[in-house]
Amino acid sequence: MRVRTALCSAASVVSALALLTACGGSGSTGKSADGKPLVGVDYPRSDTDFWNSYIKYTPEFGKELGLSLKTTNSQNDVAKLTANAQTFISQGVKGVAMAPQDTAAIAPTLAQLEAKKIPVVTVDTRPDTGNVFMVVRADNRAYGEKACQFLGTKLGGKGKVVMLEGGLDSINGRDRTEAFNDCMKKNYPNIKVFGEATNWDGAVAAQKLQTDLTANPDIKGVYMEASFALSGTLQVLKQKGLLVPPSDKKHVFVVSNDGIPEELKSIAEGKIDATVSQPADLYAKYALYYLKAAIDGKTFKPGKTDHDSNIIQVRDGVLEDQLSAPLVTSDGGSYGGVPSLKSDDKSLWGNNLG
């Protein structure tokens, strides 16, 4: 008892983590008061409909899987994510789910968690280096390819399009950008692509789109790499008198990525034309599923899963479960060989938020 008291009084010379452990701090056993495994989930941001949907789904699936959650929000800041990971360590979590937006800078944090034998599942993004138990993600190169095939078909293989890129410090931004450009060069060489860096910032995207449309009024297509650009894009098109139905020759064809309810509604209304539905619900479900599996000592290998996806090995020590992300259009047609679902399809998570 005296040893315990001495340790607990030595706050000036021991780390917060060591003190918490010695004093029997909350969560030090890796279980909550009700005996459920304790895991940490860092939300990357809460300023987009997509991530707010992910935040909504996470506690629902945590309860379903019998997990107790500690949550933080890193607000698109890798320094905050690093600090949040330290908090999780001090709370004694048995696993961590995160969605690092800067996929290079997260490496030291991953190394620290690995040294503590705390398994990590990354959601939506794949770290450039470092080991994680599983990456839960869709094939982001396919996002760019599907957008390319849709716009290439709609434009008849010629004309001009603007690509509103995400952040190129993210594997997602790089994958979508490179795949869209590669597809255009290979399949639609007569389409000129104006690539605009936006760092996932809607205001920047709107300003650059307006500049491009002023200089090139014959632009007929826009590829938004995520729904962050939706509101600004619609506003710019409206200001330019271009927010008209697809039957109007002035219509600018717009394809997005995410599958949020507002995108599906805009497709039905003829304001935009397509999106790729990124599964916010399944991201939450399988991030927690794989954390629980890691805690239970399970392992996985490349191959087809029982939930309509494929696990691939992206490098030594890193597996990625590539979840299904369908193209969504108004008519459910096929574009450049890519099938699509209609925007009112009930299988889309964006139609099931209640």
Side-chain angles (χ1 to χ4, degrees):
M1 187 67 180
R2 289 178 181 176
V3 172
R4 179 183 176 93
T5 302
L7 282 171
C8 293
S9 66
S12 61
V13 294
V14 297
S15 69
L17 176 57
L19 179 63
L20 186 63
T21 302
C23 298
S26 174
S28 61
T29 64
K31 291 185 178 180
S32 61
D34 57 6
K36 295 178 180 178
L38 183 68
V39 301
V41 180
D42 182 79
Y43 302 135
R45 56 200 302 171
S46 54
D47 58 350
T48 70
D49 289 343
F50 177 82
W51 284 114
N52 283 333
S53 297
Y54 172 78
I55 290 170
K56 171 186 175 292
Y57 283 119
T58 297
E60 295 177 9
F61 286 116
K63 182 178 180 181
E64 181 179 304
L65 290 164
L67 298 172
S68 181
L69 307 184
K70 293 287 187 179
T71 62
T72 56
N73 192 318
S74 53
Q75 300 174 330
N76 203 27
D77 184 332
V78 71
K80 289 182 180 178
L81 176 51
T82 297
N84 292 344
Q86 298 300 318
T87 298
F88 289 146
I89 291 171
S90 73
Q91 292 171 331
V93 301
K94 303 299 286 183
V96 173
M98 63 172 70
Q101 302 298 283
D102 187 330
T103 53
I106 195 60
T109 300
L110 294 179
Q112 184 178 21
L113 289 165
E114 184 178 20
K116 299 283 187 182
K117 301 188 184 305
I118 299 174
V120 175
V121 172
T122 64
V123 182
D124 179 55
T125 62
R126 180 203 314 144
D128 295 354
T129 59
N131 293 332
V132 296
F133 182 78
M134 184 67 74
V135 177
V136 174
R137 189 171 176 251
D139 182 351
N140 277 245
R141 286 194 62 87
Y143 290 11
E145 291 166 0
K146 290 175 182 180
C148 161
Q149 294 291 359
F150 180 83
L151 288 176
T153 301
K154 285 294 188 181
L155 271 62
K158 58 184 179 181
K160 300 175 181 178
V161 302
V162 177
M163 173 170 52
L164 299 174
E165 301 166 354
L168 298 185
D169 59 352
S170 160
I171 186 67
N172 289 356
R174 294 196 299 272
D175 275 359
R176 296 175 200 186
T177 297
E178 291 169 4
F180 186 82
N181 281 331
D182 291 346
C183 172
M184 280 293 182
K185 289 175 183 177
K186 178 181 178 181
N187 299 291
Y188 307 104
N190 294 322
I191 292 180
K192 180 175 178 58
V193 178
F194 297 94
E196 300 291 2
T198 71
N199 197 34
W200 310 111
D201 187 314
V204 172
Q207 182 269 317
K208 291 191 173 183
L209 177 60
Q210 183 160 359
T211 298
D212 284 337
L213 283 169
T214 299
N216 299 272
D218 55 344
I219 284 172
K220 283 296 181 183
V222 178
Y223 171 36
M224 308 182 300
E225 290 192 2
S227 58
F228 75 95
L230 178 63
S231 177
T233 294
L234 294 179
Q235 184 177 6
V236 169
L237 293 177
K238 185 175 181 180
Q239 289 173 349
K240 296 282 187 182
L242 300 174
L243 193 60
V244 295
S247 57
D248 192 311
K249 66 180 182 180
K250 292 192 298 182
H251 182 77
V252 176
F253 291 96
V254 179
V255 58
S256 185
N257 289 162
D258 272 348
I260 63 171
E262 191 61 30
E263 287 177 331
L264 303 183
K265 179 182 176 184
S266 293
I267 292 172
E269 294 174 347
K271 293 179 180 178
I272 71 171
D273 303 273
T275 189
V276 177
S277 180
Q278 185 169 220
D281 55 342
L282 299 185
Y283 279 4
K285 178 177 181 177
Y286 287 103
L288 297 177
Y289 166 84
Y290 284 116
L291 276 187
K292 188 173 188 299
I295 293 168
D296 292 342
K298 296 180 181 179
T299 59
F300 298 87
K301 60 183 180 180
K304 290 188 176 299
T305 71
D306 60 0
H307 49 270
D308 190 31
S309 68
N310 285 297
I311 295 176
I312 66 169
Q313 181 169 320
V314 294
R315 60 176 181 270
D316 288 344
V318 178
L319 296 175
E320 178 171 302
D321 188 353
Q322 295 192 327
L323 302 177
S324 176
L327 179 67
V328 181
T329 61
S330 62
D331 62 0
S334 181
Y335 294 87
V338 178
S340 71
L341 298 177
K342 292 186 68 172
S343 60
D344 61 357
D345 193 298
K346 295 303 181 183
S347 69
L348 298 169
W349 69 267
N351 286 325
N352 293 295
L353 285 178

